[in-house]
Amino acid sequence: MCGIVGYIGNKDVKEIILSGLEKLEYRGYDSAGLAMINKDGMHIFKDKGRIFNLRKIVNNDVESTLGIGHTRWATHGVPNKINSHPHQSSSKRFTLVHNGVIENDDVLKYEYLSKVKFESDTDTEVIVQLIQKFVEDGEPVDLAIRHTMSEIHGSYALAILDKEDNNTIYAAKNKSPLLVGIGEGFNMIGSDAMAMINHTDNFYELHDKEFVKITKDNVEIYTIYGNKIQREPYKAEIDATDIEKGTYPHYMLKEIEEQPFVIRRIMANYKDENGNLHIDEEVLQAVKQCDKVYIIACGTSYHAGLVGKHFLENIAGKHTEVIISSEFVYNTPLLSGKPLFLFISQSGETADSRAVLVKVKEMGYTTLTLTNVKGSTLSREADYTLLLHAGPEIAVASTKAYTAQMAVLAILATLVSNNINIDLMKEFAILANVMETLCDNKDIYDKLAYQYLKDSRSCFYIGRHIDYYVCLEAALKLKEISYIQTEGFAAGELKHGTIALIEKGTPVIAIITQECINLNTRSNIKEVKARGAASIVISTKKLSAETDEIIMNDVHGLLTPIASVIPTQLLAYYAALHKGCDIDKPRNLAKSVTVE
Ligand code: G6P
């Protein structure tokens, strides 16, 4: 979703901001812009489209050491040049970029800004006009910004320039993520550490309703009331090379191939000095002592949550419910007496999940976040965190974070259980090897995707038991990046209505990894084939039939989802490749969805 990067220092700002914005491209966006101040005044370049378009319109003759940039994911108003950020106040004195959504923009327009002529359809323009109004009313700039913060309702990360002060970037935050990057002789602001990691790994995190003044040598953080805050910086543990694509054509392919390595890294991070699986005792006690686990998540993380429920119930004997974040807030189920809320979020920033976290914290419940991003909002605000150790995931479609989520959930369930008899270390080692073999044989997915998926308008994944959960994720992956309408179905349910959609040639992909459902799912395949479907079967060696298209080596029965998803990720990848889709940045999608 929207991204911000700003710089103040001694170097020319253009390349720093443009390459910073490129590092944020993975979040998903539709427009980009840049504002710089120099002795000649303010220079703004912006338009809809990708950063490489922005590069073309930025005037390289403008030299500046102070600027802010933005990638926009449209919420208010279509993606076009006028709605792109930065936005300016009518007097052109103030220029700002904004991530988030202002909920009372109409009220503020009516109450304070009825005489102002608005240029764009955005909620953002209200913020910059309000700052100008309060300054015109006689308030100093920092008070005017804090005053504006108290009037606007909703989420915001702001970076603001004042044309009359070419020594300062002002910033403010509520709900949307924002970090200050600290350097020698320069400072930066960004919505994500990745935008700044090539320049610094030293950051101040900002909390909600905080206001910041950044000069090249100094950073001052204030509350909304103007009280100065002392804060210790932290070091981000991101390796800048982790976010490069290397020789891979796409991040998605790189991240799919990294999965066996991620499993090995998880094993290394979740073991004690004796080589035994280990999770912090406080976290284990919190899960052991609750009477029910409520898993809260969205998208791919929700699908990992479904497998997590299976682990927690079958391995640890813990009642577990999995709820889509955006549903929980307004349609809260009847809760058990002593619940524990487990948030699963790759980014740790998803606004829908955070809304639930805020709500259940107010209710006084214990919270645990499972995330890939140390220091992310959901991690900071929950009582406990478990990290995924998947490394930065850049492709919008999540792959390695999903398998990492399931792996850490399996460890959690095993350690919460008192009597389970699984040597998870050994099983993970086998699993990583099986995943590697699945990644090695790419030709098969390439051919199947070309033959069955490239020209299809719709597709079905069918499975039973935990295979069904993988089908949901497999279907999401295929539709996200290839735009083929795909549904994941409980194989037995298809005949109760949806089988009506099967036509000659409709691809139906079945996943079979559990002995107890092998024959039933195979019967369902026969039913759809009898109606013309083109079937593909993904099975395990033990359960395979000679005609199955993809046969994976056997892994422990509980861990099959962590391996069986790989063929589906690669089928989606090659389908999108053959269709010529923008694999890493699918249309309309954002990696980190920071609005509800
Ligand atoms: C977005 C992404 C999905 C992701 C979902 C939840 O919609 O496009 O890939 O699964 O957000 O994200 P989270 O970071 O909370 O796991």
Side-chain angles (χ1 to χ4, degrees):
M1 214 148 240
C2 305
I4 290 176
V5 55
Y7 171 92
I8 180 164
N10 299 317
K11 291 191 181 156
D12 186 45
V13 81
K14 289 188 290 290
E15 188 49 39
I16 295 174
I17 294 200
L18 287 168
S19 54
L21 290 177
E22 276 161 356
K23 294 275 181 289
L24 297 179
E25 283 193 291
Y26 78 99
R27 297 165 67 104
Y29 70 106
D30 43 52
S31 326
L34 161 64
M36 300 176 273
I37 302 185
N38 66 11
K39 59 181 177 0
D40 304 321
M42 183 72 71
H43 304 264
I44 295 185
F45 305 94
K46 60 180 189 172
D47 209 343
K48 73 169 191 186
R50 299 288 190 212
I51 313 284
F52 65 78
N53 293 327
L54 181 62
R55 279 190 179 278
K56 284 184 204 153
I57 57 171
V58 169
N59 180 348
N60 278 320
D61 296 336
V62 175
E63 288 190 355
S64 163
T65 55
L66 162 62
I68 53 178
H70 190 258
T71 47
R72 172 176 189 249
W73 189 87
T75 58
H76 291 54
V78 297
N80 63 18
K81 181 171 176 169
I82 291 179
N83 291 332
S84 307
H85 299 212
H87 288 282
Q88 288 198 290
S89 58
S90 304
S91 69
K92 310 285 181 218
R93 175 168 172 187
F94 295 100
T95 300
L96 67 72
V97 292
H98 166 220
N99 290 356
V101 170
I102 302 305
E103 289 151 10
N104 60 338
D105 56 329
D106 285 341
V107 179
L108 293 171
K109 275 186 190 174
Y110 176 76
E111 221 171 277
Y112 290 108
L113 304 165
S114 53
K115 297 206 181 78
V116 173
K117 188 173 167 303
F118 281 81
E119 284 197 359
S120 72
D121 300 322
T122 64
D123 50 339
T124 300
E125 200 181 336
V126 168
I127 311 173
V128 73
Q129 300 288 13
L130 214 50
I131 294 170
Q132 175 179 314
K133 183 204 154 22
F134 293 142
V135 168
E136 281 169 1
D137 288 350
E139 293 179 10
V141 173
D142 38 5
L143 177 59
I145 296 174
R146 289 190 287 104
H147 188 173
T148 301
M149 289 165 67
S150 70
E151 295 288 345
I152 54 181
H153 299 166
S155 54
Y156 54 83
L158 301 172
I160 308 160
L161 297 180
D162 173 2
K163 200 173 67 173
E164 294 180 11
D165 172 4
N166 56 9
N167 290 313
T168 313
I169 299 176
Y170 297 94
K173 171 203 152 36
N174 188 44
K175 296 187 186 169
S176 297
L178 196 63
L179 295 172
V180 177
I182 313 156
E184 286 286 315
F186 73 91
N187 285 307
M188 298 185 74
I189 185 92
S191 49
D192 185 321
M194 289 202 211
M196 303 178 268
I197 200 74
N198 283 339
H199 307 279
T200 180
D201 60 358
N202 219 6
F203 297 98
Y204 287 121
E205 65 180 35
L206 299 177
H207 298 173
D208 284 353
K209 300 265 168 82
E210 287 183 348
F211 162 73
V212 198
K213 275 165 90 169
I214 305 164
T215 62
K216 77 185 177 63
D217 301 309
N218 198 25
V219 177
E220 290 174 5
I221 306 174
Y222 296 90
T223 66
I224 194 170
Y225 305 110
N227 302 319
K228 206 161 170 187
I229 296 169
Q230 293 304 332
R231 181 157 302 147
E232 286 303 310
Y234 75 94
K235 274 211 183 309
E237 290 164 18
I238 307 176
D239 182 344
T241 56
D242 268 2
I243 54 177
E244 302 302 335
K245 203 158 54 183
T247 53
Y248 284 91
H250 298 98
Y251 280 107
M252 185 178 177
L253 189 62
K254 173 176 180 263
E255 289 160 7
I256 290 172
E257 284 206 4
E258 281 172 356
Q259 292 178 106
F261 172 69
V262 170
I263 296 297
R264 295 185 186 116
R265 187 155 59 195
I266 288 170
M267 287 161 72
N269 277 282
Y270 283 100
K271 73 174 178 201
D272 63 16
E273 59 274 14
N274 302 319
N276 298 322
L277 281 177
H278 172 80
I279 283 181
D280 189 83
E281 192 51 36
E282 262 191 77
V283 178
L284 290 182
Q285 284 310 322
V287 182
K288 281 182 182 175
Q289 281 163 18
C290 77
D291 63 358
K292 187 164 181 181
V293 177
Y294 289 84
I295 294 181
I296 308 289
C298 322
T300 291
S301 298
Y302 171 75
H303 296 152
L306 294 172
V307 177
K309 169 185 162 80
H310 185 83
F311 291 160
L312 283 163
E313 294 199 333
N314 287 278
I315 301 177
K318 267 284 161 206
H319 281 296
T320 304
E321 199 171 327
V322 194
I323 306 168
I324 294 172
S325 311
S326 54
E327 283 300 307
F328 184 96
V329 183
Y330 307 103
N331 190 11
T332 309
L334 193 60
L335 298 174
S336 66
K338 200 161 184 282
L340 174 126
F341 284 84
L342 167 51
F343 294 84
I344 307 182
S345 174
Q346 186 284 131
S347 62
E349 300 295 348
T350 303
D352 288 328
S353 299
R354 190 191 178 221
V356 182
L357 178 62
V358 170
K359 179 167 177 163
V360 299
K361 276 180 74 174
E362 276 166 14
M363 293 161 103
Y365 295 130
T366 309
T367 53
L368 163 62
T369 291
L370 179 57
T371 182
N372 202 23
V373 185
K374 193 176 175 187
S376 57
T377 306
L378 287 171
S379 165
R380 280 200 319 267
E381 295 182 356
D383 297 316
Y384 309 105
T385 294
L386 291 175
L387 288 175
L388 296 175
H389 301 288
E393 191 179 64
I394 311 288
V396 167
S398 182
T399 53
K400 63 176 179 172
Y402 171 72
T403 41
Q405 285 163 346
M406 292 187 289
V408 178
L409 287 164
I411 297 175
L412 178 67
T414 307
L415 291 175
V416 167
S417 145
N418 291 323
N419 52 10
I420 189 79
N421 199 10
I422 310 177
D423 182 350
L424 211 51
M425 282 297 194
K426 183 180 127 226
E427 300 302 341
F428 270 6
I430 297 169
L431 174 70
N433 291 342
V434 171
M435 293 167 89
E436 219 155 58
T437 312
L438 284 169
C439 291
D440 283 346
N441 302 324
K442 294 207 189 56
D443 278 3
I444 184 168
Y445 315 110
D446 189 352
K447 279 191 198 133
L448 289 169
Y450 187 82
Q451 188 179 347
Y452 293 108
L453 302 176
K454 182 171 77 74
D455 300 314
S456 288
R457 284 193 310 122
S458 65
C459 174
F460 292 91
Y461 270 96
I462 60 167
R464 292 167 178 247
H465 201 276
I466 37 179
D467 297 335
Y468 166 50
Y469 303 144
V470 180
C471 287
L472 294 176
E473 172 57 13
L476 180 64
K477 219 52 26 190
L478 186 58
K479 63 188 148 191
E480 276 178 320
I481 63 166
S482 75
Y483 316 137
I484 298 169
Q485 178 151 11
T486 313
E487 295 304 326
F489 249 84
E493 187 64 11
L494 206 63
K495 60 183 177 294
H496 295 296
T498 309
I499 200 164
L501 297 176
I502 302 293
E503 294 173 351
K504 189 167 181 323
T506 306
V508 178
I509 308 172
I511 303 180
I512 303 174
T513 70
Q514 305 294 310
E515 189 150 17
C516 58
I517 52 77
N518 181 14
L519 298 180
N520 300 60
T521 304
R522 289 194 187 274
S523 297
N524 300 132
I525 299 167
K526 285 189 188 133
E527 288 156 14
V528 292
K529 277 176 90 170
R531 285 153 184 89
S535 72
I536 298 175
V537 178
I538 302 170
S539 62
T540 55
K541 208 168 217 166
K542 203 165 97 194
L543 305 178
S544 63
E546 234 174 77
T547 47
D548 292 350
E549 282 73 9
I550 300 169
I551 300 171
M552 60 181 225
N553 290 332
D554 292 309
V555 297
H556 190 287
L558 278 165
L559 304 180
T560 59
I562 309 179
S564 65
V565 75
I566 290 183
T568 73
Q569 295 168 340
L570 285 162
L571 283 172
Y573 175 82
Y574 284 107
L577 191 70
H578 290 304
K579 290 187 72 182
C581 301
D582 191 347
I583 294 181
D584 286 336
K585 296 188 277 293
R587 72 182 178 211
N588 304 340
L589 298 186
K591 178 90 187 145
S592 171
V593 181
T594 46
V595 296
E596 275 184 62

